[in-house]
Amino acid sequence: SSDLTAVTIAQTAVQTCKSQGYNVSAHVIGRSGEVLVAMRGDDTGPQTYENSFKKAWTARAQRAPSLNFANAVKANPTVGAIHLSNMVPAQGGLPIMVGDDAIGAVGVSGAPGGDKDEACAKSGLDKVAADLK
């Protein structure tokens, strides 16, 4: 059921953004950063595919929205984690939490603004919230 949940998260995120006129890519990753679903939206640039993965990875690694890392880098540009290849200081990644346990993350890239990417990612999480309890 976890694979099905991951597909639903990614599809919902991409479709939500598409309904708002934004073409995005989405990644859902698991507990150890493994890719469960990678979805490239229609007419998206190749950078969105890589960036959606990195946003998800950042959210999973820090068990927090990727926006938090973006803010940390703004406050301290030399923060050590900036040197990790999969960390990106950009909004649009959210951890998938079950209680206090980060079981994975979702990342979205391609909307005009990380706040919009994050809103689409959240729509995916909201869609499966009942399944994640």
Side-chain angles (χ1 to χ4, degrees):
S1 82
S2 62
D3 288 348
L4 187 60
T5 300
V7 170
T8 302
I9 292 169
Q11 282 179 334
T12 302
V14 169
Q15 287 165 359
T16 298
C17 263
K18 192 173 182 68
S19 73
Q20 297 167 1
Y22 313 134
N23 293 329
V24 300
S25 293
H27 271 77
V28 178
I29 64 172
R31 188 183 298 277
S32 58
E34 74 280 16
V35 175
L36 300 177
V37 177
M39 196 170 289
R40 184 192 301 276
D42 298 330
D43 301 320
T44 57
Q47 75 281 6
T48 64
Y49 191 77
E50 178 181 345
N51 208 29
S52 62
F53 168 73
K54 289 186 172 186
K55 289 179 180 187
W57 203 91
T58 300
R60 169 60 195 95
Q62 302 218 316
R63 303 174 63 247
S66 60
L67 173 63
N68 292 23
F69 183 61
N71 289 336
V73 170
K74 257 183 218 146
N76 175 13
T78 61
V79 65
I82 196 70
H83 300 292
L84 295 170
S85 59
N86 289 332
M87 295 291 285
V88 64
Q91 187 174 9
L94 293 172
I96 302 170
M97 303 298 291
V98 175
D100 292 331
D101 192 13
I103 63 164
V106 54
V108 174
S109 177
D115 56 327
K116 296 175 180 66
D117 288 325
E118 183 180 297
C120 294
K122 185 173 187 311
S123 74
L125 293 181
D126 290 345
K127 179 89 171 177
V128 300
D131 301 327
L132 292 175
K133 289 189 171 62

